[in-house]
Amino acid sequence: MRLWVICWLVLVWVLLWGNLSAANLLSGLAVALLITVLLPLPAVPVEGKVHLLSLIRLLLTVAYRLVLSSVQVALLAVKPRPPLSAVLRAQLSVKSDLVLALAVNIFNLIPGSIVLEIDQTRRLLYMHVIDVGSDRALSAFYHQVAVVERLLVATFERQEDWRPAAAEEDDA
């Protein structure tokens, strides 16, 4: 896995400099080796399997939500009165911290809402939502959260594929 990270970092380095040369390749390799040796990322436990069809459905749904929310935010910008916004709490039932982080990233990407706080142990997200001026808008927000959560579970955390990672023992 580290070889792929090094190759990726060298590619990014060359792209940042804007030209392919021996000096850029060698300096990129040196920087990539320094980063991977001095600043290693912790291992992320993968506890389930990725289901390709569910992943495609998740990607299509997120793309649809991105477009739909962008149009809704644009319409709110031209309305004569400002929208009513609020901080709402959403309960998720995902098991993995990795999937929770992915859910937070998806909700932050979709225009109209942003995650302000994460209660990791209780799986609660506190999100600022732009338009909560009606019961319909409120239920649409919670429906969006439920759809994304259901697709994340179907993609990464199906019960039949779930193998919890071994708990790390504290050395303290």
Side-chain angles (χ1 to χ4, degrees), residues 44-45 47 58 92-109 115 117-120 123-125 127 148 152 156-157:
V44 177
E47 299 161 323
L58 174 67
L92 298 180
S93 61
V94 296
K95 301 171 192 169
S96 166
D97 288 342
L98 184 61
V99 176
L100 179 64
L102 183 58
V104 168
N105 283 310
I106 289 171
F107 292 130
N108 282 338
L109 281 175
V115 177
E117 186 176 340
I118 305 165
D119 184 342
Q120 185 179 0
R123 299 295 196 236
L124 290 174
L125 301 180
M127 293 189 256
V148 170
L152 284 168
F156 301 107
E157 295 185 341

Side-chain angles (χ1 to χ4, degrees), residues 9-75:
L9 289 172
V10 170
L11 175 67
V12 170
W13 182 264
V14 169
L15 290 174
L16 286 172
W17 281 102
N19 64 346
L20 181 63
S21 67
N24 280 343
L25 282 174
L26 290 175
S27 61
L29 181 61
V31 169
L33 288 172
L34 279 172
I35 288 172
T36 55
V37 171
L38 297 178
L39 305 168
L41 292 173
V44 177
V46 177
E47 299 161 323
K49 282 184 359 184
V50 177
H51 294 270
L52 186 59
L53 290 177
S54 295
L55 178 63
I56 292 169
R57 285 183 49 215
L58 174 67
L59 293 174
L60 291 174
T61 301
V62 169
Y64 169 74
R65 295 285 178 180
L66 286 171
V67 172
L68 180 65
S69 294
S70 295
V71 170
Q72 291 170 340
V73 169
L75 291 175

Side-chain angles (χ1 to χ4, degrees), residues 77-156:
V78 296
K79 274 190 173 179
R81 59 181 174 82
L84 178 64
S85 63
V87 175
L88 302 176
R89 181 179 63 201
Q91 175 80 46
L92 298 180
S93 61
V94 296
K95 301 171 192 169
S96 166
D97 288 342
L98 184 61
V99 176
L100 179 64
L102 183 58
V104 168
N105 283 310
I106 289 171
F107 292 130
N108 282 338
L109 281 175
I110 296 174
S113 67
I114 187 163
V115 177
L116 300 174
E117 186 176 340
I118 305 165
D119 184 342
Q120 185 179 0
T121 55
R122 294 188 296 169
R123 299 295 196 236
L124 290 174
L125 301 180
Y126 294 91
M127 293 189 256
H128 181 267
V129 182
I130 289 178
D131 183 25
V132 293
S134 67
D135 289 338
R136 182 177 170 203
L138 200 57
S139 63
F141 166 74
Y142 283 115
H143 176 72
Q144 174 180 302
V145 170
V147 166
V148 170
E149 176 189 21
R150 186 180 72 245
L151 288 171
L152 284 168
V153 169
T155 303
F156 301 107

